[in-house]
Amino acid sequence: MNVKLDALDRKILAELTRNARIPVAELARTVGLSKTPVALRIKHLEEIGLITGYRAILSPVRLGLTHVTYVEVSMSDTREAALQQFNAAVRAIPEIEECYMIAGGFDYLIKVRSRDMADFRRIMAERISGLPHISNTSSYVSMEAVVEQTFTFS
């Protein structure tokens, strides 16, 4: 569903992606409206599913999760039931930060956050290697995050 946004909706979204804790009164001043229309617009954006929630963004580095590894996964079975089993199982592993189904030379790309290489090895051995329908994996250790951000609206 494509959502039609006017300039004020865009300004509201841009401000909320920068600071979701901004008071409505301050947001209203920033976008040039009064509080009630801004609150109504936010409520509408939530109701249509454009704003899906608010959350704290934690620093993985401050939590000691400085090791990032990308894992290519090839599946032994790509029928829908097998994919659904894999998807459900991968969602249950908290160390998996992201997982994407890929069109190409492999089936999934997983981003794993861990403390260090030994921790990653444990995660691979105890969790990822036991995922259903995996035929093989290839791992790539990240040396540096050049761009790492959450989606913002501008």
Side-chain angles (χ1 to χ4, degrees), residues 15-79:
E15 288 300 319
L16 287 175
T17 57
R18 276 191 281 282
N19 178 11
R21 295 181 64 170
I22 187 172
V24 173
E26 186 179 333
L27 179 58
R29 279 192 302 279
T30 303
V31 301
L33 287 176
S34 63
K35 285 174 32 177
T36 301
V38 168
L40 289 171
R41 283 173 178 262
I42 292 170
K43 184 174 173 36
H44 173 72
L45 294 168
E46 291 169 346
E47 287 172 349
I48 65 171
L50 189 60
I51 296 175
T52 59
Y54 302 89
R55 63 183 179 176
I57 300 171
L58 306 179
S59 168
V61 172
R62 300 287 290 183
L63 291 169
L65 301 171
T66 58
H67 192 265
V68 175
T69 306
Y70 291 90
V71 181
E72 290 180 1
V73 175
S74 295
M75 304 292 286
S76 60
D77 184 351
T78 57
R79 292 176 291 179

